[in-house]
Amino acid sequence: MKARKVPQRKCIVCQKTLSKREMLRIVRTPEGEVELDLSGKKNGRGAYICGDAEAFKKARKTKAFDRALKVNLTPEQYERLEQDFSSVQDKFKSVSCGKPDEQSE
Ligand SMILES: [Zn+2]
């Protein structure tokens, strides 16, 4: 049996590494837009985050996207990302952002 390596990505909120399919990619496009990249193939600077609604809230609070993408997101951009994020939540039910020993917060 061949061991196939699953690409790992690091969450910008909790710094945990997960396989790509457990994470969402946020991309800053060459046009300067910031959007959710469901295909994982869009051009631009990307950042990964656990596919957890809580992760998004934390990222918003701590401006993790701003830092990771080197851009200042407007409240409108955050609103739109949050809507996109929540629309795909069903796919990420088993994912929770944060280290296991921090879950009791
Ligand atoms: Zn995370």
Side-chain angles (χ1 to χ4, degrees):
M1 210 174 102
K2 271 189 213 161
R4 206 169 62 97
K5 240 188 170 176
V6 181
Q8 301 276 306
R9 293 292 181 271
K10 194 172 184 184
C11 173
I12 57 168
V13 176
C14 67
Q15 314 298 318
K16 190 165 63 178
T17 49
L18 292 173
S19 69
K20 268 174 88 172
R21 61 171 190 280
E22 293 172 291
M23 312 198 81
L24 278 164
R25 185 170 187 252
I26 316 284
V27 70
R28 189 188 75 192
T29 67
E31 291 77 35
E33 270 307 310
V34 176
E35 47 196 53
L36 214 62
D37 176 17
L38 294 175
S39 70
K41 294 189 175 79
K42 280 185 189 165
N43 283 327
R45 187 186 179 91
Y48 288 84
I49 181 172
C50 300
D52 176 4
E54 280 304 310
F56 186 88
K57 284 181 199 155
K58 285 183 205 163
R60 183 174 184 166
K61 215 196 290 185
T62 60
K63 294 196 182 295
F65 293 134
D66 301 53
R67 283 199 305 274
L69 300 173
K70 304 208 187 304
V71 66
N72 286 316
L73 273 82
T74 64
E76 289 76 23
Q77 285 176 309
Y78 269 114
E79 284 304 322
R80 213 185 48 223
L81 282 174
E82 186 162 24
Q83 277 172 24
D84 291 348
F85 208 95
S86 57
S87 71
V88 296
Q89 268 298 286
D90 282 358
K91 290 184 202 158
F92 297 97
K93 280 198 173 111
S94 59
V95 180
S96 74
C97 187
K99 297 194 176 72
D101 54 9
E102 286 174 3
Q103 290 302 301
S104 54
E105 260 179 53

